[in-house]
């Protein structure tokens, strides 16, 4: 009971903080070949040497070569740090910042999925705040503005081009810690569907479900505002229209662009309205079993929505209307069913093979701690509630 009361008060404090903090938005370049436009804009803004932060896969696709030659056309030279791995680590950030300084760079361009973008944000922060990276983790620890940061996402899900967080892992304990600061917002970003065409279908599906979870959790958040509602509803509409097509036909540029926009809008929504228990449980499943973030969200989202249904019925009903359900009837249930159906159509399972029944109490404990400090969810979960929601993911054993 004490925790529930504390959660309510603390979430109000976060709501006020979100209103008071000067959270800007990046200048956006959107559409086919917008990454080329972004390169021109970088040159116009003054940088002379840009550190491109990415991973080996993006280098192999030729995107770094393309961006370097575009920048060189405008007399901007480049250096590349391409050793980013999934869940970037403190030492990767520190190596990238050393390369930035030794190469006399004056801006960072991060290209890739969530990991290169998080690593790029952290390198930009460390470039100007010279101290051990661990001391930058936590809330509002950046004294100086990061190096000018430009971003090109090649997946549509994290929304990290518009978020004020970068998650970095300890290479020894594997514990993930965020740097949370409004100064981390990129200067400009490009949503270029051409660079997303080659994304494998299962990653398109999982990252798309991450974007859907951002939109839905921010929409049913008790800290939602009319502004975050507009972004969340637009994101859900675009995902309902185009996620299946982006998965089945990755070369469809219209569907790719819709999903890139959906991820962007959902990012704008959750940066201010925050998330909920789906993310708390998904993060914990990631730390226990290495479940990819989008997959973990897809597994958990319908179960958390079913738990929250009575407390968020009218909000869920609005979402049902947005995806084309006729008004009237149990529309909250209709929306939850739509999420389950979409997940099935995308080939995502509804149970987690690696889930060990003996771990459920520990997973629930960790998830509830994350939620009580971070998420203005419409219905509070006690330990036993959370355990029940997680247990629904146990594989059913045939008789
Ligand atoms: Fe997420």
């Amino acid at each position: 009971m004490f925790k529930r009361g504390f959660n309510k008060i603390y979430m109000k404090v976060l709501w006020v903080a979100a209103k008071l903090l000067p959270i800007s938005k990046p200048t956006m370049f959107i559409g086919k070949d917008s990454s080329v436009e972004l390169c021109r804009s970088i040159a116009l803004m003054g940088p002379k040497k840009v550190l491109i932060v990415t991973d080996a896969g993006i280098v192999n696709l030729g995107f770094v070569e393309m961006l370097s030659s575009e920048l060189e056309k405008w007399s901007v030279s480049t250096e590349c740090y391409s050793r980013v791995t999934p869940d970037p680590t403190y030492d990767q950030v520190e190596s990238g910042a050393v390369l930035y300084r030794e190469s006399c760079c004056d801006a960072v361009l991060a290209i890739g999925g969530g990991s290169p973008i998080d690593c790029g944000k952290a390198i930009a922060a460390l470039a100007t705040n010279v101290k051990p990276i661990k001391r930058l983790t936590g809330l509002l620890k950046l004294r100086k503005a990061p190096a000018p940061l430009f971003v090109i996402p090649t997946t549509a899900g994290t929304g990290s081009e518009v978020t004020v967080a970068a998650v970095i892992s300890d290479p020894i304990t594997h514990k993930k810690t965020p740097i949370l600061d409004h100064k981390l917002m990129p200067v400009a970003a490009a949503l270029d569907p051409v660079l997303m065409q080659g994304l494998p279908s299962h990653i398109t599906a999982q990252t798309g479900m991450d974007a859907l979870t951002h939109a839905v959790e921010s929409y049913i958040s008790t800290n939602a505002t009319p502004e975050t509602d507009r972004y969340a509803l637009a994101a859900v509409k675009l995902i309902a229209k185009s996620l299946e097509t982006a998965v089945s036909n990755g070369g469809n540029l219209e569907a790719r662009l819709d999903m890139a926009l959906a991820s962007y809008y959902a990012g704008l929504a959750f940066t201010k309205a925050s998330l909920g228990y789906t993310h708390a449980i998904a993060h914990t499943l990631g730390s226990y079993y290495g479940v990819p973030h989008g997959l973990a969200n897809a597994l958990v989202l319908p179960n958390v929505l079913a738990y929250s249904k009575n407390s968020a019925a009218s909000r869920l009903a609005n979402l049902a209307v947005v995806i084309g359900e006729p008004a009237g009837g149990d529309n909250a249930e209709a929306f939850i069913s739509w999420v389950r159906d979409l997940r099935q159509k995308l080939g995502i399972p509804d149970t987690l093979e690696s889930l060990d029944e003996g771990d459920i109490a520990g997973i629930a404990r960790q998830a509830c701690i994350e939620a009580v400090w971070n998420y203005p969810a419409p219905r509070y979960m006690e330990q036993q509630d959370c355990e029940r929601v997680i247990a629904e993911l146990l594989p059913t054993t045939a008789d």
Side-chain angles (χ1 to χ4, degrees), residues 157-158 210-211 213-214 270 275 279 283 293-294 297:
T158 64
D210 186 26
T213 309
H214 295 157
F270 87 81
L275 297 164
H279 267 78
H283 288 149
H293 179 65
N297 276 325

Side-chain angles (χ1 to χ4, degrees), residues 114-398:
S115 296
I117 294 177
D118 276 6
C119 194
K121 283 178 175 174
I123 289 171
L126 195 59
T128 51
N129 295 271
V130 184
K131 54 177 75 170
I133 181 68
K134 265 190 179 180
R135 286 178 50 200
L136 297 184
T137 60
L139 188 62
L140 302 176
K141 297 281 180 67
L142 305 187
R143 282 190 54 213
K144 295 182 184 166
L149 172 68
F150 302 89
V151 166
I152 303 175
T154 57
T155 61
T158 64
S160 49
E161 66 275 16
V162 280
T163 61
V164 291
V167 179
I168 308 298
S169 298
D170 185 311
I172 296 160
T173 64
H174 302 292
K175 192 175 171 226
K176 294 181 185 183
T177 29
I179 305 171
L180 283 164
D181 200 301
H182 61 285
K183 297 190 188 86
L184 282 178
M185 187 64 84
V187 174
L191 303 180
D192 189 342
V194 175
L195 305 188
M196 298 176 179
Q197 288 180 103
L199 195 67
S201 59
H202 71 284
I203 299 179
T204 304
Q206 292 174 9
T207 49
M209 289 302 286
D210 186 26
L212 178 66
T213 309
H214 295 157
V216 173
E217 292 209 296
S218 57
Y219 188 70
I220 64 173
S221 157
T222 57
N223 281 2
T225 67
E227 183 195 9
T228 62
D229 284 354
R230 280 194 294 277
Y231 290 130
L233 291 172
V236 172
K237 238 182 242 181
L238 288 165
I239 292 165
K241 174 178 171 247
S242 292
L243 178 53
E244 282 182 71
T245 307
V247 170
S248 62
N249 179 10
N252 185 316
L253 289 185
E254 186 184 325
R256 288 290 187 189
L257 184 58
D258 281 351
M259 286 308 301
L261 279 169
S263 172
Y264 166 60
Y265 289 145
L268 287 171
F270 87 81
T271 292
K272 289 198 172 172
S274 194
L275 297 164
Y277 281 93
T278 303
H279 267 78
I281 297 170
H283 288 149
T284 314
L285 292 175
S287 74
Y288 266 69
Y289 307 117
V291 185
H293 179 65
L295 172 61
N297 276 325
L299 287 163
V300 178
L301 180 63
N303 303 350
V304 169
L305 293 183
Y307 173 82
S308 314
K309 188 182 144 187
N310 290 340
S311 305
S314 65
R315 304 295 276 174
L316 292 170
N318 289 348
L319 291 172
V321 173
V322 159
I323 55 138
E325 287 289 327
D330 188 352
N331 269 16
E333 188 58 44
F335 182 74
I336 298 169
S337 296
W338 174 80
V339 175
R340 288 189 205 279
D341 289 348
L342 176 64
R343 180 176 66 183
Q344 191 184 17
K345 284 178 192 161
L346 299 178
I348 296 174
D350 56 5
T351 56
L352 179 61
E353 282 295 324
S354 54
L355 179 60
D356 182 334
E357 201 165 357
D359 290 338
I360 289 177
I363 295 169
R365 204 169 302 118
Q366 197 172 315
C368 286
I369 290 170
E370 177 176 328
V372 80
W373 282 100
N374 292 286
Y375 303 138
R379 187 178 175 200
Y380 187 83
M381 268 191 202
E382 299 288 356
Q383 169 76 17
Q384 294 91 331
D385 303 323
C386 195
E387 287 180 20
R388 272 194 293 274
V389 167
I390 296 164
E392 289 173 41
L393 301 177
L394 283 168
T396 45
T397 45

